[in-house]
Each structure stands twice: as C-alpha cells, then as structure tokens.
Amino acid sequence: MKLLYFAWVRERVGKPEEEIDPPPNVRTIGELMAWLSRRGEEYAYAFENAKVIRAAIDHAHVKPDTAIAGAREIAFFPPMTGG
Amino acid sequence: MKLLYFAWVRERVGKPEEEIDPPPNVRTIGELMAWLSRRGEEYAYAFENAKVIRAAIDHAHVKPDTAIAGAREIAFFPPMTGG
Amino acid sequence: MAVRLQREDFDIGAEIAELTQGRTDIGAVATFTGVCRADNEGHRIEAMTLEHYPGMAEAEILRHVEEAQARWPLFGVTVIHRYGRLVPGDNVVLVVATSSHREAAFAAAEFLMDYLKTRAPFWKKEERAGAAGWVEARQADDAAAQRWRQAGRRPGAAE
Amino acid sequence: MAVRLQREDFDIGAEIAELTQGRTDIGAVATFTGVCRADNEGHRIEAMTLEHYPGMAEAEILRHVEEAQARWPLFGVTVIHRYGRLVPGDNVVLVVATSSHREAAFAAAEFLMDYLKTRAPFWKKEERAGAAGWVEARQADDAAAQRWRQAGRRPGAAE
C-alpha cells in the first residue's frame, strides 16, 4: 500500500510518500503507526506522539482503530489548519 | 410640530408631511394618533389599526405611551421592511 | 465605518477593497448582499420601490453599526442600502464586516442584517401584475432580530 | 457547486456574478473571505505556505458542500482555497453561498468555514523572523465545528 505524509509528519519522516508492505499482524491505523515508529529514528520521531496524528484511508478521515485491510492509500498528518 | 408619514400611512393620509398644533391634553404618541384619527376620513383610515403603526420622535423609535412634549418631528409608518 | 443610502448600485469587490487595502491585520471579511427576487411567497414581482425616512435611516443604521462594534472586535463595517425603484436581480443592501477572526465578522454581518430587516425605516412596495402593494413585515425577521436582545454575544437556536 | 483549489488569487465580485447572473430567484448572497494576517497570537508572520492533500482536499470540501446543501435550501455554493506561499494581506479562502433568504446563506457559509478550518486537509507553515513553524490547530475552531454536530439546523451558543 501507498503511504503519504503531510506537514511536519512529512518533514520528520523525511519523504512525502512511500510504498510499504506491513506484516499481517498490523491490522489497524494505530498498529500501523506503532509498526512504522519501529522502522527507524525518523519514524520514531514522527510518530512519538501518535495521539495527535490524524489519518486518512483513500481520502476519508479514519480513527486509530480503523482496519487498514484493502486500503490503497493511507495518509498521516497533523491536525488540519486550513481555512 | 412637524408630522411625517411613510408608506401606506402616507398614502392613506394623502400627504407626506404637515405642521400640526395639537391641544395640550394630547400628551402621548397614542393620544396623538387618536386625535389625528378624528380629523377626517383619511386620518381615520390611516390610523384605524393604530396597534400596527410605528412612531419615531426626532429620528428615534418610540412607543405609544411616549410623551410628545418637546418633539420637533414625529413620524408615523408601518412596520419596517428594509434589508 | 461607512453608511450610505443611495439609488445607485454598489460594487462588492470595491467595497471590500476599501476596507482591506493596505492592511495586514484583517483575517476575516464577511459580506451579505440582499437581492430583489422575482417571487415573494408565491407572488410574481415585476419591480419594487423602496421608500425610506431620510435622516432617520442613516441615524438608525449608524447606531446599529456602533452597537456591532461594541459587541464584537471589528476593524471596519460598511452598510449600503439602496432606495428607489428596483427590479428582480437588482442588489438592495450590502453589509461588509472585517475582523481578525471569522466569528466576529459573521456575527456582526448577521446582526446588522437582522436589524436592517426590522428596525431601519425602509418600506418596500411591490409591483405585481397590474397591482401594487406594501410588503408586510416577516415574523421570522422579528424573531431573528429579537435573539440578539436575549442571548449574550451569540444568538441561541432561534429557529 | 464549484470547489477549486488554486495557487492564484480569486475575484470575489466575479465569483458572486458567476452564481447570480441572469437569475431572479436569489435573495441572499453571503460570502466569507479568509485573509493572511501579519500577526498570529503575538507572532509576526512574514509569509506562510499552505500545504494540502491533493485529491482528498477536493473530496472533503465537496462532501461538506453537499452536506450544506442537504441542511439548507441553497441555490449555489462556491468554495475556493488557495495553496502555496502567501504573504500577509493575501486572500486564502473564499466561500460564497446563495439562497432565497439570508438565514440559509449565512448558516451555510459559517458551517463551511468551520469545517474548512478543522477537517479539510490543509496545513499552514508560518515564516517568522528567520524561523518557520507549523501552525497549531485552534481549539476555538474545533468547538465551532463541533456545534454543527450537536444542535439541529442552527448552532446553539457555542462561545
């Protein structure tokens, strides 16, 4: 699946997007953040305060307990500050 | 004092303004409307439903029990429909 | 603060520019434009004539603008109300309110429109197929204006 | 319904004309323009860069426009949100809502702005004297957006 990062999540991870293939025991958005944060210092830094990070699956806002099965594109970003 | 009429009050009275000199026992807006309505058919028609008619003294909205003493300009008109 | 009563149309973009040009403290610009409709509660309107009370109309609107400024942190407010004969599609009234944040700008624009509808001395006479009649005050407008008298800074659920 | 994300500025008068020209059923046009300020909670801002999530931003805004249309009797809605680098005084966002009466036009414009502030995937990075930082979400914006979820058609006193 494709991951996208925005704003300071993107800056901390160090890239705007990547393709990943998480193991089958990573089932939810929350589990995916935990798995990502074990991939290296930049990820640990980006996801150190996972509670503030928002996620979207295929362009729709989702919660940490949402299942990622079937997702084509998952995005992580800080609270929105548009308008 | 000067009286002004607007909208259908003006149309019914048949003039936009006039100078009047009511007797001293006419003390309030309500009493002025009653006195005016006895001045002729056109006034009786204009003030037949005095409850719906609004008044202003010197450009400020007033109630029927407001005293008219000292007023330079009194206006009578229907409920406003601006905006 | 600008309050203008005029026969002529207005240019919303120009009025916004007048309030905002050269400033960097404004974060929010709310505008409301009232337009003459061809239909009023099922009646076909060919034109309408707006009569006003010169002198009092300016004074009343200015008083409401000052009240809005006392209630909310506003930078500038413009109110333009037309009078004379208007046809459907014509602009009737414009309110522009600027502030640092949107809450104040929206609230001031709504407040001023509710008051213009109910307290500013203007009267609309409509021309319908052959006949003409004065528009009656809308109860919903009175209720909308009333809510600013009851609540604190923001109206409660009025409807 | 028009939803546009663009780097370029917009012309409010032209956007209003786009929704109203040739029509005689519109009685109310509410607009809101968000403008980049030089000051954010005491910090001097030299510029800001708006990042967005292409694809999702359009979809999210369109969903909210559709929700507004389901809630209020609207004729047309336009939302324009800029992205890229903006300096103080620059326009950021525009909402235009048209209806037969003002209540619906105002409510829809406020509703859309509250949602754009809290749910549309945009992020502001400010440039302050030498440094740069991402803007944090305002709690007041979350509260403003939340009130549309609780009440019926109109928010209660949210502040």
Side-chain angles (χ1 to χ4, degrees):
Chain A
M1 62 186 60
K2 187 179 181 181
L3 291 193
L4 298 181
Y5 307 110
F6 292 97
W8 56 254
V9 178
R10 171 179 54 70
E11 288 180 341
R12 289 180 180 191
V13 169
K15 53 186 137 188
E17 58 179 81
E18 63 183 315
E19 285 290 333
I20 56 150
D21 189 13
N25 66 324
V26 174
R27 283 168 302 239
T28 66
I29 288 290
E31 287 167 6
L32 180 58
M33 286 198 276
W35 179 75
L36 284 167
S37 62
R38 291 191 299 269
R39 293 182 85 203
E41 262 180 32
E42 67 277 30
Y43 290 96
Y45 180 39
F47 291 97
E48 67 182 357
N49 191 357
K51 271 193 307 206
V52 306
I53 295 181
R54 312 293 180 94
I57 294 181
D58 297 333
H59 294 172
H61 290 292
V62 295
K63 303 218 150 134
D65 60 2
T66 304
I68 61 171
R72 287 186 308 273
E73 182 175 300
I74 298 179
F76 291 106
F77 42 79
M80 289 71 79
T81 54
Chain B
M1 63 186 58
K2 186 178 179 183
L3 292 193
L4 298 181
Y5 308 111
F6 291 98
W8 56 255
V9 178
R10 171 179 54 71
E11 289 181 341
R12 290 180 180 192
V13 170
K15 51 187 137 188
E17 59 180 80
E18 63 182 316
E19 285 290 333
I20 56 150
D21 188 12
N25 67 324
V26 173
R27 283 169 302 240
T28 66
I29 288 289
E31 287 166 6
L32 180 57
M33 285 199 278
W35 179 75
L36 285 166
S37 65
R38 290 192 299 270
R39 295 182 84 203
E41 262 179 33
E42 67 276 34
Y43 291 95
Y45 180 38
F47 292 97
E48 68 181 357
N49 191 359
K51 272 192 308 207
V52 307
I53 294 182
R54 311 293 179 95
I57 294 182
D58 296 333
H59 294 173
H61 290 290
V62 295
K63 302 219 151 132
D65 60 2
T66 304
I68 63 170
R72 289 186 307 274
E73 181 174 301
I74 298 179
F76 291 106
F77 41 80
M80 289 71 78
T81 53
Chain C
M1 300 313 113
V3 172
R4 300 208 311 267
L5 306 187
Q6 60 188 45
R7 285 187 186 276
E8 308 75 50
D9 196 10
F10 44 78
D11 177 335
I12 300 163
E15 297 302 332
I16 293 175
E18 185 71 30
L19 290 181
T20 59
Q21 210 116 69
R23 300 185 67 142
T24 57
D25 52 357
I26 291 171
V29 182
T31 80
F32 181 86
T33 310
V35 184
C36 178
R37 289 181 303 133
D39 178 281
N40 188 8
E41 286 163 21
H43 300 285
R44 182 119 204 115
I45 310 304
E46 287 168 4
M48 72 175 188
T49 301
L50 260 155
E51 179 173 336
H52 74 297
Y53 182 172
M56 179 169 171
E58 294 88 334
E60 266 291 302
I61 296 174
L62 203 58
R63 246 199 307 275
H64 294 140
V65 169
E66 284 163 3
E67 185 174 341
Q69 287 187 291
R71 280 172 178 246
W72 296 283
L74 304 171
F75 289 124
V77 174
T78 296
V79 176
I80 302 175
H81 204 307
R82 294 179 70 185
Y83 58 86
R85 190 164 183 274
L86 303 173
V87 297
D90 280 352
N91 289 327
V92 179
V93 62
L94 174 68
V95 171
V96 185
T98 63
S99 182
S100 47
H101 290 292
R102 71 190 182 290
E103 294 85 351
F106 269 126
E110 273 197 82
F111 168 84
L112 286 167
M113 280 308 306
D114 285 347
Y115 275 80
L116 286 167
K117 286 273 178 190
T118 53
R119 301 275 294 176
F122 288 85
W123 301 273
K124 287 178 184 147
K125 188 172 195 173
E126 292 174 347
E127 295 169 33
R128 305 170 185 175
W134 294 95
V135 176
E136 286 196 37
R138 262 176 95 216
Q139 281 198 328
D141 288 331
D142 290 330
Q146 194 54 36
R147 65 196 167 133
W148 301 99
R149 293 282 159 230
Q150 294 155 346
R153 297 182 49 179
R154 289 289 294 239
E159 297 168 302
Chain D
M1 302 310 112
V3 172
R4 301 207 309 269
L5 305 187
Q6 60 188 45
R7 286 187 183 276
E8 307 77 48
D9 195 11
F10 45 77
D11 176 335
I12 301 162
E15 296 302 331
I16 293 175
E18 185 72 29
L19 289 181
T20 58
Q21 209 116 70
R23 301 185 68 141
T24 58
D25 51 357
I26 291 172
V29 182
T31 80
F32 181 86
T33 311
V35 183
C36 179
R37 289 182 302 133
D39 178 282
N40 188 8
E41 286 164 21
H43 300 286
R44 181 118 205 113
I45 309 304
E46 288 169 4
M48 72 175 189
T49 301
L50 261 156
E51 179 174 336
H52 73 296
Y53 182 172
M56 180 172 171
E58 293 88 332
E60 266 290 302
I61 297 174
L62 203 57
R63 247 199 306 274
H64 294 140
V65 169
E66 284 163 2
E67 186 174 342
Q69 288 187 289
R71 279 174 178 245
W72 296 284
L74 304 171
F75 288 126
V77 174
T78 296
V79 176
I80 302 177
H81 204 306
R82 294 178 70 185
Y83 59 86
R85 190 166 182 274
L86 302 172
V87 297
D90 280 353
N91 289 326
V92 179
V93 62
L94 173 69
V95 171
V96 184
T98 63
S99 181
S100 46
H101 291 291
R102 71 189 182 289
E103 294 85 351
F106 270 125
E110 274 199 79
F111 168 83
L112 286 168
M113 279 309 306
D114 285 347
Y115 275 81
L116 286 168
K117 285 273 179 189
T118 53
R119 301 276 294 176
F122 288 85
W123 300 273
K124 286 177 185 148
K125 188 172 195 172
E126 293 174 346
E127 295 168 33
R128 306 170 184 174
W134 293 94
V135 176
E136 286 196 37
R138 261 176 96 218
Q139 281 199 327
D141 288 332
D142 289 330
Q146 194 53 36
R147 65 196 167 134
W148 301 99
R149 293 284 159 227
Q150 294 155 347
R153 297 183 48 178
R154 289 289 293 238
E159 295 167 302

